[in-house]
Amino acid sequence: MTALLAGRELHRSFGSTSALAGASVEIAAGAVVAVMGPSGSGKSTLLHCLAGILLPERGEVVYAGCHLDQLSEPERSRLRRQQFGFVFQFGQLVPELSALENVALPLRLGGVARREAEQRAEDWLARLEVAAVGAKHPGELSGGEGQRVAVARALVSHPQVVFADEPTGALDSLNGERVMALLLDAARSRGTTVVLVTHEARVAAYADREIFMRDGRVVAPVAAA
Amino acid sequence: MTVATLAIGLRLAAGGARRSWARLALVAAGVGIGVALLLTGLAVVPALKARDARERAREPVGPSTEPNTPSYLLQAASIDRYQGRRLVRFRIAGVGVSPPRPPGLTRIPRPGEAAVSPGLARLLRSPDGALLRPRLDSRIVAIIGQAGLIWPNELIAYSGTPASEAGTASGFIPVTSFGHPEGPKGPMPVELKLVVLLAILGLLVPTLAFIAASSRVAAAVRERRLAAIRLVGATPAQTRLLAAIEGLPAALAGCLVGVALFFAFRPIAPTLAPDGHEFSASDLKPPVGQALATLIAVPLLAVAAGLVALRRVELSPLGLVRRAPVRQVGPFARASACARLSAARRRLASQR
């Protein structure tokens, strides 16, 4: 199967610390891939490089035939907005905006009219079972509600790939499982690819494929599923 | 897309969270104080000019010898102090049928009569004026009008004197009219203008620093917020626009606060002036053009300060990455550290 997203021989360091030391991975369209490994193995750095948030010092990231390192920063921003969605451990919601406005934000930044953007955001909040919190601000939400809002925001622009970095790391197991179920139901129903970074086997069990990292390298397996 | 970004920026500026309002209030207060200081600084020169004009309007004009007009006034000025305040007393005597009247007087007081300023009248009526009343030794028959005062609370008296006494006593000068167009003082000297300019600049620099610091209040929170927005796909240009816009309402509110503070401070300002340099609060008026320029420039400056602060860091979707280079330790600092280290080693060695 052809890879939708591929990272090849990725190297990235922070100061004298090497985070990626030749990591390679290929991810097929529609796959749900869990990236696992111990702390400091380079899981999050790999995710950030694949998403175009960080540029590797060596190696290449190719998404749908496009080399991310050859794109300008505004082009990578547009790619993130139109093709990618993000769910991080602490939601990364904008505290000044209501939950509904947070979900509508990627659409609004893309020039979608406010009414339409908020209508689509409402639909996603309902789908993630948090329609009632639309008017609340992030500070007024529980951890589980906040992550569901973050999932709704990640999916509202119908991305091709959702990058989730420890999406349940700050939640209790019940809430964590519910968030994962909702995220993957929504992603699978639209054929969205999910790259999931986790160190929890319980969360990784939701994935179609698991890849393991150690010392900045993918140790097994590399090929697209 | 720009319109949407503008709308998001304004929404962020007045976001519903209590913290946003607190931040807006803090920045508005900081900018407001800066604007009030600037407007006050701009108003100082007009106030001094207005004071000078009032002083000139009261200047007596007359020949140095006996005037050849049938009517004139004889005037002698003396400056006294009472309870630390400056008291100006004019003794006057009319000669002829229509001698000139000092500004602010409807008629020339007769011998034994006096016209006093409102401030002096209040002082004389109060218990504090008990010791002053015998010194004035005249019956108060009139209150000097505003046209005759340099500032409202000035202590000034015109006492009527017999013309026969004024004609022979020393210190009296003949007056044929009041008010020098340019006055004996002439226009404001260049040195004074320079001092005023330096004072304004001295006020301006900390004010601008204050405005810049105010607009960077809660910068860390703002930068985290902008990073979150970058994560969902805002381009660097959109992020900069958002940063600029969200500082604007606070700066505009700051301008309104500044104007309000200026008008609230204006009545108090004359009381802070040094003795002998008092002015009228109503003279403290910044020139309209300069005031408008300030009210336009300050919000722009606040926005610029926010943008400059952002320029030092590259807003990554993951947070901040410092763009400014980390300062290297210079050779002098290295040599100094080495010298101290070897001195410490020698001390340790000698103790052993």
Side-chain angles (χ1 to χ4, degrees):
Chain A
M1 191 181 285
T2 313
L4 173 70
L5 181 63
R8 295 184 189 114
E9 284 298 310
L10 300 177
H11 290 258
R12 174 78 201 203
S13 54
F14 299 97
S16 58
T17 308
S18 171
L20 292 181
S24 294
V25 63
E26 290 188 353
I27 297 164
V32 177
V33 177
V35 182
M36 297 191 70
S39 292
S41 59
K43 305 185 295 290
S44 292
T45 307
L46 176 66
L47 181 139
H48 297 152
C49 285
L50 291 175
I53 295 173
L54 287 176
L55 286 179
E57 287 149 356
R58 273 192 288 147
E60 61 177 12
V61 177
V62 182
Y63 167 73
C66 171
H67 287 71
L68 296 198
D69 55 311
Q70 289 170 10
L71 299 179
S72 66
E73 181 52 46
E75 285 169 335
R76 281 203 304 280
S77 299
R78 267 190 289 279
L79 182 76
R80 275 202 300 276
R81 190 172 63 231
Q82 291 163 356
Q83 305 283 319
F84 298 164
F86 296 90
V87 185
F88 284 0
Q89 186 173 356
F90 295 106
Q92 254 84 351
L93 298 174
V94 180
E96 285 75 11
L97 302 180
S98 68
L100 182 72
E101 288 169 323
N102 263 287
V103 177
L105 187 59
L107 300 173
R108 297 282 286 131
L109 288 169
V112 176
R114 183 177 164 180
R115 193 181 294 269
E116 188 193 335
E118 293 195 347
Q119 183 56 57
R120 282 164 64 179
E122 268 177 22
D123 293 346
W124 274 102
L125 284 175
R127 193 160 173 183
L128 271 294
E129 302 171 352
V130 279
V133 304
K136 290 186 178 175
H137 283 80
E140 300 167 314
L141 303 178
S142 69
E145 287 170 340
Q147 279 305 75
R148 289 183 205 197
V149 171
V151 171
R153 188 181 65 180
L155 293 166
V156 73
S157 51
H158 303 313
Q160 292 298 306
V161 186
V162 168
F163 294 93
D165 191 355
E166 302 282 7
T168 61
L171 303 180
D172 60 67
S173 57
L174 202 65
N175 260 310
E177 279 173 27
R178 191 71 196 131
V179 165
M180 281 308 300
L182 288 167
L183 167 63
L184 293 182
D185 280 354
R188 285 195 167 113
S189 69
R190 305 192 63 87
T192 306
T193 305
V194 178
V195 182
L196 172 67
V197 163
T198 183
H199 62 270
E200 291 180 71
R202 180 174 54 82
V203 175
Y206 286 91
D208 305 328
R209 180 165 73 105
E210 295 172 12
I211 60 173
F212 294 89
M213 292 194 70
R214 186 172 300 132
D215 301 329
R217 302 176 71 90
V218 174
V219 287
V222 174
Chain B
M1 194 149 83
T2 308
V3 175
T5 311
L6 285 170
I8 295 166
L10 290 173
R11 181 70 188 88
L12 286 172
R18 198 180 303 157
R19 203 168 47 180
S20 307
W21 288 107
R23 189 179 65 239
L24 191 140
L26 207 60
V27 175
V31 172
I33 291 169
V35 167
L37 283 172
L38 279 173
L39 291 179
T40 307
L42 289 173
V44 167
V45 171
L48 289 177
K49 280 186 175 168
R51 183 189 191 284
D52 191 43
R54 287 167 193 273
E55 205 169 356
R56 279 203 312 269
R58 211 165 68 185
E59 287 291 337
V61 180
S64 53
T65 57
E66 186 77 14
N68 51 11
T69 53
S71 297
Y72 56 93
L73 190 78
L74 288 169
Q75 177 176 295
S78 61
I79 297 173
D80 203 355
R81 299 198 76 78
Y82 182 74
Q83 292 186 339
R85 293 176 69 185
R86 191 166 176 263
L87 169 63
V88 182
R89 189 175 173 189
F90 296 103
R91 285 178 297 148
I92 52 175
V95 177
V97 287
S98 57
R101 274 182 287 118
L105 292 190
T106 50
R107 71 171 178 85
I108 295 166
R110 297 188 187 93
E113 293 179 345
V116 297
S117 63
L120 183 55
R122 273 195 300 276
L123 181 62
L124 289 168
R125 280 198 302 272
S126 74
D128 285 345
L131 292 172
L132 185 62
R133 282 190 288 268
R135 276 162 66 179
L136 197 63
D137 192 26
S138 299
R139 190 165 56 89
I140 296 163
V141 293
I143 300 294
I144 302 166
Q146 288 298 316
L149 303 174
I150 296 174
W151 72 94
N153 282 331
E154 186 181 18
L155 300 184
I156 173 177
Y158 286 97
S159 303
T161 306
S164 55
E165 185 188 322
T168 55
S170 64
F172 280 88
I173 54 165
V175 179
T176 51
S177 65
F178 284 91
H180 280 268
E182 271 304 322
K185 292 182 164 185
M188 194 183 280
V190 176
E191 294 83 356
L192 184 59
K193 277 185 181 170
L194 206 61
V195 168
V196 170
L197 188 71
L198 284 175
I200 290 174
L201 280 177
L203 197 67
L204 201 62
V205 171
T207 303
L208 294 182
F210 190 54
I211 290 171
S214 304
S215 63
R216 288 202 300 268
V217 165
V221 176
R222 184 183 68 150
E223 284 154 5
R224 274 201 298 275
R225 176 172 63 252
L226 292 175
I229 294 171
R230 285 277 285 123
L231 181 67
V232 296
T235 62
Q238 278 180 312
T239 313
R240 279 194 292 274
L241 185 59
L242 285 173
I245 297 163
E246 71 170 78
L248 202 57
L252 290 173
C255 281
L256 291 179
V257 170
V259 171
L261 281 177
F262 170 73
F263 281 107
F265 172 73
R266 203 162 73 145
I268 308 162
T271 63
L272 304 176
D275 187 39
H277 295 86
E278 295 90 340
F279 54 88
S280 170
S282 60
D283 288 338
L284 207 57
K285 283 186 287 200
V288 176
Q290 290 176 22
L292 280 177
T294 303
L295 295 179
I296 292 168
V298 167
L300 292 179
L301 183 77
V303 167
L307 287 176
V308 167
L310 271 187
R311 271 180 64 84
R312 290 180 60 79
V313 290
E314 190 177 340
L315 270 179
S316 147
L318 299 174
L320 295 171
V321 178
R322 188 161 287 283
R323 188 188 281 168
V326 176
R327 220 170 56 140
Q328 297 294 316
V329 177
F332 179 77
R334 261 180 287 185
S336 160
C338 285
R340 276 179 298 186
L341 195 63
S342 35
R345 273 185 185 159
R346 276 197 300 275
R347 265 202 309 276
L348 275 173
S350 65
Q351 280 168 9
R352 281 180 202 145

